[in-house]
Amino acid sequence: MTTLPTYATREDVKGALDFKQSARADRQIDRALHTASRGVDALCRRRFHPELAARSWDWPNAQRARPWRLWLDENELISVTEVTTGGDVVPPEAVFLEPNAYGPPYNQVQLDMSSATAGWIGGNTHQRSITITGLYGYRDDETTAGVTVGTLDSAAATVTVDAATSAEVGVGDLLRLDTERVIVTGRRQAATGQTLAADIDAQAKTVLVPVLDGTEFAVEETILIDGERLLIVDIAGDSLIVRRAWDGSTLAAHTTGTAVYAPRTLAITRGDLGTTAAAHTDGTSVHLFAPPALVHQLALAEAINILLQEQAGWFRTATGGSTSREATLEALTALRTQVYDALGRKARLRGV
């Protein structure tokens, strides 16, 4: 089965609902996120993540388009690597992706009418006469999260990353290492090489955690000391300012010299979305795919709704005074409408 990314992460859901860490909860959240993300795709009638692929079309076909135009419909393009028609490669300069004024995504491919390849042609039969190899999807927007730590061979199932990446990346995210795309499926604790520089007590108000070197950590990164997880909200020199007992863990006292861990080892699937697994050097940049903000928000909201509905046996109620009634989803419905209006692929009449 093809592994697909989610448009929000396990960590996003836990932060919103304060889910206690457990393998069962993780599976439940991941399932809800996949359902929610594919639901957003279905609502908008497009896939928002990029995928490298070669796809084919018949020619002539039922589109009734001009002989130089091919409508892509749901097969929207971000960029093109190669186009063939009737078995012949079309020169790149003769390929126009449209609408060029505001794409990607591009919903049609046109041939330059002034070129030698001024129209699509069939092969021995009309079937699959046109093949377009390229990056399909809505957009390929990325941010640079950080870098890898250590080398990575083409068969490795985990990758270790730096503090900046650990703070930015979550389970379900789509990453790019060089030309390879990978999807994060889990996280494991890794030694940071740092220890506590002083004792800290078991009081929630004690939020200053002294370490040997504060530059080895990042804001929004989760750390593990003994059995307690802590969320870093700020860093002042060699002191981490944290939220205690994070992720459902238990508040506890810790002594000087205790090792500090962080979930910097990422379990990944390799060679995803049409790419090929490859070796990567130490310090390879980690690029994080960023779906549109509204898509992220709706995927998160849908996943939270699924989880809460499951907990309530799919009959959530809202209590008011001495009465209770089934909870309405007006805010979620409004968000769905907003996302579709802004990002949904609208129907097109096949005229030309």
Side-chain angles (χ1 to χ4, degrees):
M1 184 178 69
T2 302
T3 302
L4 297 177
T6 57
Y7 300 139
T9 66
R10 182 192 294 172
E11 290 76 5
D12 291 331
V13 174
K14 286 184 175 181
L17 292 182
D18 195 22
F19 255 62
K20 186 174 182 178
Q21 172 76 17
S22 72
R24 180 178 179 276
D26 287 348
R27 289 193 297 270
Q28 186 181 17
I29 292 171
D30 293 348
R31 184 177 65 249
L33 281 167
H34 278 281
T35 300
S37 298
R38 303 294 74 81
V40 174
D41 286 341
L43 172 69
C44 294
R45 301 169 62 206
R46 59 174 25 132
R47 284 189 173 185
F48 289 95
H49 62 265
E51 180 175 5
L52 185 64
R55 298 177 183 175
S56 299
W57 286 260
D58 295 348
W59 191 268
N61 56 34
Q63 291 187 0
R64 299 180 181 177
R66 302 294 187 185
W68 61 84
R69 175 184 289 131
L70 176 71
W71 291 104
L72 300 173
D73 296 325
E74 69 274 12
N75 296 290
E76 294 172 308
L77 273 168
I78 300 170
S79 61
V80 163
T81 304
E82 183 182 78
V83 177
T84 64
T85 180
D88 298 328
V89 176
V90 180
E93 62 273 14
V95 177
F96 295 156
L97 298 180
E98 301 291 347
N100 71 85
Y102 54 85
Y106 301 107
N107 62 13
Q108 57 178 293
V109 178
Q110 296 185 18
L111 299 180
D112 184 354
M113 296 175 61
S114 65
S115 70
T117 310
W120 303 106
I121 59 175
N124 294 330
T125 72
H126 70 285
Q127 293 175 307
R128 301 186 180 184
S129 295
I130 302 171
T131 298
I132 300 176
T133 302
L135 193 62
Y136 290 83
Y138 181 71
R139 289 186 187 276
D140 189 22
D141 295 334
E142 296 178 329
T143 60
T144 301
V147 297
T148 60
V149 176
T151 58
L152 181 69
D153 65 42
S154 60
T158 61
V159 59
T160 301
V161 296
D162 64 351
T165 305
S166 175
E168 288 288 329
V169 170
V171 175
D173 271 332
L174 173 63
L175 310 179
R176 181 173 61 82
L177 309 175
D178 297 324
T179 60
E180 180 187 359
R181 287 186 169 84
V182 302
I183 295 173
V184 181
T185 59
R187 304 182 70 165
R188 302 173 189 171
Q189 298 293 335
T192 64
Q194 293 291 301
T195 59
L196 290 182
D199 294 349
I200 55 175
D201 59 32
Q203 299 186 59
K205 67 180 182 180
T206 303
V207 296
L208 207 63
V209 177
V211 293
L212 298 179
D213 186 357
T215 64
E216 292 295 316
F217 300 90
V219 173
E220 295 297 322
E221 185 176 25
T222 301
I223 57 175
L224 177 69
I225 304 175
D226 294 323
E228 182 184 356
R229 293 182 182 84
L230 306 91
L231 176 68
I232 302 173
V233 297
D234 205 351
I235 299 174
D238 294 330
S239 294
L240 311 179
I241 302 169
V242 302
R243 288 183 62 181
R244 301 288 301 272
W246 186 250
D247 204 11
S249 60
T250 302
L251 197 66
H254 311 286
T255 58
T256 304
T258 300
V260 180
Y261 293 85
R264 298 178 184 175
T265 298
L266 309 179
I268 54 176
T269 55
R270 303 297 303 273
D272 285 317
L273 301 175
T275 62
T276 302
H280 306 283
T281 60
D282 178 33
T284 296
S285 294
V286 178
H287 302 281
L288 171 64
F289 169 65
L294 278 174
V295 168
H296 168 81
Q297 190 62 46
L298 180 57
L300 178 59
E302 295 280 15
I304 290 172
N305 179 57
I306 290 170
L307 291 167
L308 294 179
Q309 291 283 17
E310 286 181 349
Q311 291 175 348
W314 289 93
F315 193 77
R316 288 174 60 195
T317 59
T319 303
S322 60
T323 63
S324 63
R325 63 188 185 280
E326 187 173 0
T328 64
L329 301 176
E330 292 180 2
L332 181 56
T333 300
L335 182 57
R336 289 170 182 161
T337 300
Q338 183 183 8
V339 171
Y340 179 76
D341 288 345
L343 298 168
R345 187 173 63 85
K346 310 305 187 290
R348 177 182 64 80
L349 296 177
R350 294 191 186 279
V352 292

